[in-house]
């Protein structure tokens, strides 16, 4: 790449939580940054739906996970309120048929063999194996097998044949079942908006080509617009990267390509269901399903008074694939029939006022919900994050294993890390107070 000059320190590709965090940190370090975003909004897979029931409902990321999440200072600085959502105490579980209170379900002797599964997973040494092989080795059958499959895949958008057990542990996924989660009352996107305050963000800029080398980066939009900078941070989701909808010039090195083959952007969808009256227990925070078309149900306004009765039907992996193939009306009918099984004597269909489907798998700027590691995939996230592509750096929830991979917190931490990488690469020379990127014609090396 030659014969060009950039007046901007960095272009950040993507205005999700990773992108705006990276740009904000660069700005705080005295660097100029421009954020380009394909959508007509910021937030990426943080998407608060505000025109459904009068209050924000999360179409994407739902929770601040745990009480020590790195994003808590942002939530507090923004002055946002939160609602706690316990993960065990107020949970119902269905292993087929009617749902029951979780502690009561666990009293069944058929489930007792699974009580040591977390310890067995933690002790598993190499080589890595698919979840199915691990379950088969342990000899789980009947209810115990259903529960074991839930433990290993309920939080991931992959099948028991696709999920690597050691990767599950390395990603910290099992800790999602511990601690206390919270919802942001004003909508999760309010956190993104707070971080993005004052940034130069260009919406409607779908990147089609990224030219990079040790001298800088040029990005080109689908309509031919081009921007150049001394560095760039790419936060494109793994689903987009693997689709090759964006061309890299030169091609990404083998380290990056192998990393992408060892992780998967699995299918995830949500049905937002607004009812006339609640037909579920007032205390219910979560309904987990070991079988059936939906992975989890949760009342959006658990713990809040005088709010509309709204359930989210959340489905992942093979279940998401099946529901995505149906029309929205068919998917809703399937979920309502499933709810009738869990809550006998109720008529959810009669109570339904409105519905909306959010399908991240068919979203062209996501192409999946979030990532998981295939068997043998440990280290893939670190290779994707490695600073081995000149002045082009990578961030996003798929590039961090800690504290929990593929979460908002992981994306936030990755944005901070990528900003540090950019500052280290640019050294002492900086372009301060630059307000725009330079449009140029790239000359790939």
């Amino acid at each position: 790449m030659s014969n060009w000059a950039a007046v901007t320190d960095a272009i950040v590709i993507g205005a999700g939580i990773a992108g705006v965090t990276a740009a904000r940190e660069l700005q705080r370090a005295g660097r100029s940054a421009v954020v380009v975003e394909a959508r007509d909004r910021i937030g990426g897979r943080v998407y608060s739906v505000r025109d459904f029931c009068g209050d924000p409902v999360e179409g994407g990321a739902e929770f601040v996970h745990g009480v020590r999440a790195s994003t808590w200072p942002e939530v507090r600085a923004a002055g946002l309120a939160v609602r706690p959502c316990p993960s065990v105490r107020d949970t119902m579980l269905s292993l087929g048929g009617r749902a029951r209170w979780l502690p009561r379900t666990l009293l069944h002797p058929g489930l007792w063999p699974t009580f040591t599964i977390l310890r067995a997973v933690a002790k598993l040494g190499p080589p890595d194996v698919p979840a199915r092989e691990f379950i088969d080795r342990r000899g789980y059958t009947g209810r115990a097998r259903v529960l074991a499959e839930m433990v290993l895949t309920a939080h991931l958008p992959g099948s028991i044949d696709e999920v690597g057990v050691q990767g599950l542990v390395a990603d910290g996924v099992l800790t999602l079942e511990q601690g206390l989660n919270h919802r942001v009352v004003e909508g999760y996107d309010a956190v993104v908006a707070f971080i993005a305050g004052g940034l130069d963000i260009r919406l409607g800029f779908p990147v089609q080509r990224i030219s990079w080398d040790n001298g800088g980066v040029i990005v080109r939009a689908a309509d031919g617009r081009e921007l150049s900078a001394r560095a760039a941070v790419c936060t494109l989701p793994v689903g987009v990267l693997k689709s090759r909808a964006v061309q890299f010039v030169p091609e990404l090195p083998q380290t990056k390509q192998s990393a992408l083959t060892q992780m998967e952007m699995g299918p995830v969808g949500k049905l937002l269901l607004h009812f006339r009256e609640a037909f579920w227990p007032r205390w219910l925070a979560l309904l987990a399903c070991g079988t059936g078309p939906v992975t989890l149900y949760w009342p959006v306004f658990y713990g809040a008074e005088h709010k509309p009765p709204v359930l989210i039907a959340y489905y992942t992996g093979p279940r998401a694939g099946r529901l995505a193939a149906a029309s929205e009306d068919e998917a809703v009918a399937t979920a309502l029939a499933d709810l009738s099984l869990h809550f006998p004597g109720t008529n959810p269909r009669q109570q339904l006022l409105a519905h909306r489907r959010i399908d991240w798998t068919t979203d062209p700027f996501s192409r999946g919900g979030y990532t998981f590691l295939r068997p043998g995939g440990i280290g893939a996230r670190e290779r994707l994050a490695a600073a081995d592509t000149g002045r082009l750096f990578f961030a996003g929830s798929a590039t961090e294993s800690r504290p929990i991979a593929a979460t908002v917190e992981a994306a936030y931490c990755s944005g901070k890390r990528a900003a540090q990488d950019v500052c280290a690469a640019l050294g002492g020379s900086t372009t301060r107070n630059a307000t725009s990127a330079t449009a140029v014609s790239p000359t790939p090396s």
Side-chain angles (χ1 to χ4, degrees):
M1 193 182 300
S2 60
N3 301 323
W4 61 278
V7 298
T8 299
D9 286 323
I11 297 169
V12 179
I13 303 164
I17 190 78
V20 298
T21 300
R24 196 269 308 271
E25 295 302 303
L26 287 166
Q27 188 179 75
R28 286 179 170 179
R31 305 286 179 175
S32 57
V34 174
V35 183
V36 295
E37 167 57 48
R39 305 179 194 274
D40 60 1
R41 60 173 180 83
I42 66 173
R45 282 165 286 154
V46 175
Y47 174 40
S48 302
V49 179
R50 300 178 178 277
D51 61 349
F52 181 66
C53 66
D55 288 273
V57 178
E58 303 303 341
E62 188 93 12
F63 300 107
V64 180
H65 292 291
V67 296
R68 296 183 177 85
S70 302
T71 49
W72 274 115
E74 306 290 354
V75 174
R76 297 188 181 103
L80 301 172
V82 296
R83 291 193 304 271
C85 183
S87 58
V88 175
R89 185 190 69 198
D90 293 340
T91 294
M92 296 182 76
L93 175 64
S94 169
L95 298 177
R98 182 175 183 172
R100 300 183 185 279
W101 185 42
L102 175 61
R104 180 173 296 172
T105 303
L106 296 179
L107 291 175
H108 193 288
L111 296 178
W112 296 351
T114 62
F115 289 1
T116 59
I117 188 171
L118 297 183
R119 188 183 309 162
V121 167
K123 288 182 176 179
L124 180 68
D128 195 6
V129 297
R132 180 188 295 276
E133 184 174 335
F134 175 85
I135 291 170
D136 288 345
R137 285 183 187 177
R138 300 284 295 178
Y140 297 122
T141 59
R143 291 169 175 255
R145 185 178 181 91
V146 174
L147 184 58
E149 291 184 7
M150 286 187 69
V151 169
L152 298 183
T153 64
H155 294 298
L156 298 177
S159 71
I160 58 174
D161 295 305
E162 297 172 311
V163 172
V165 177
Q166 288 189 325
L168 180 89
V169 176
D171 279 349
V173 174
L174 295 177
T175 62
L176 286 171
E177 299 177 10
Q178 306 167 19
L180 183 65
N181 297 327
H182 292 78
R183 289 186 176 90
V184 179
V185 172
E186 295 88 347
Y188 216 156
D189 64 355
V191 179
V192 184
F194 172 74
I195 296 172
L199 296 179
D200 182 355
I201 301 177
R202 318 286 177 86
L203 300 177
F205 194 107
V207 172
Q208 187 178 64
R209 186 175 69 191
I210 302 172
S211 302
W212 61 274
D213 65 12
N214 291 324
V217 179
I218 300 171
V219 299
R220 180 176 183 176
D223 61 7
R225 286 175 292 168
E226 290 175 347
L227 300 174
S228 73
R230 300 171 65 215
V233 177
C234 176
T235 72
L236 294 173
V238 164
V240 175
L241 294 175
K242 294 183 71 166
S243 74
R244 294 189 173 269
V246 176
Q247 178 188 13
F248 288 87
V249 182
E251 286 278 1
L252 295 178
Q254 185 58 36
T255 52
K256 291 281 190 285
Q257 294 186 39
S258 67
L260 291 172
T261 63
Q262 290 181 318
M263 65 176 77
E264 201 63 53
M265 188 84 165
V268 170
K270 284 185 172 184
L271 291 174
L272 315 185
L273 304 171
H274 184 191
F275 296 96
R276 185 174 291 106
E277 294 180 352
F279 52 85
W280 53 90
R282 179 183 176 87
W283 51 264
L284 179 66
L286 175 71
L287 166 55
C289 306
T291 62
V294 172
T295 309
L296 303 167
Y297 294 95
W298 52 66
V300 172
F301 300 108
Y302 167 86
E305 297 291 336
H306 312 299
K307 293 293 183 181
V310 176
L311 280 181
I312 285 181
Y314 175 73
Y315 41 95
T316 59
R319 307 191 213 200
R322 288 189 287 270
L323 283 181
S327 69
E328 180 171 334
D329 286 343
E330 290 170 338
V332 170
T334 297
L336 294 176
D338 189 44
L339 286 167
S340 296
L341 291 176
H342 297 311
F343 302 104
T346 66
N347 192 337
R349 181 183 297 277
Q350 212 171 50
Q351 295 289 340
L352 187 67
L353 295 176
H355 59 79
R356 186 174 303 178
R357 175 161 66 177
I358 311 293
D359 187 353
W360 291 104
T361 308
T362 58
D363 184 314
F365 305 127
S366 173
R367 300 181 186 246
Y370 50 92
T371 57
F372 62 90
L373 297 181
R374 288 185 169 275
I378 291 179
R381 300 191 189 281
E382 290 75 13
R383 291 197 300 278
L384 185 58
D388 59 359
T389 42
R391 293 281 183 87
L392 174 63
F393 303 92
F394 285 80
S397 65
T399 67
E400 295 287 332
S401 295
R402 291 287 183 255
I404 304 172
T407 60
V408 171
E409 183 181 8
Y412 174 80
C413 293
S414 79
K416 288 197 163 190
R417 182 254 307 149
Q420 293 173 352
D421 287 345
V422 169
C423 290
L426 298 185
S429 175
T430 181
T431 303
R432 298 179 183 272
N433 302 318
T435 58
S436 63
T438 304
V440 298
S441 297
T443 307
S445 58

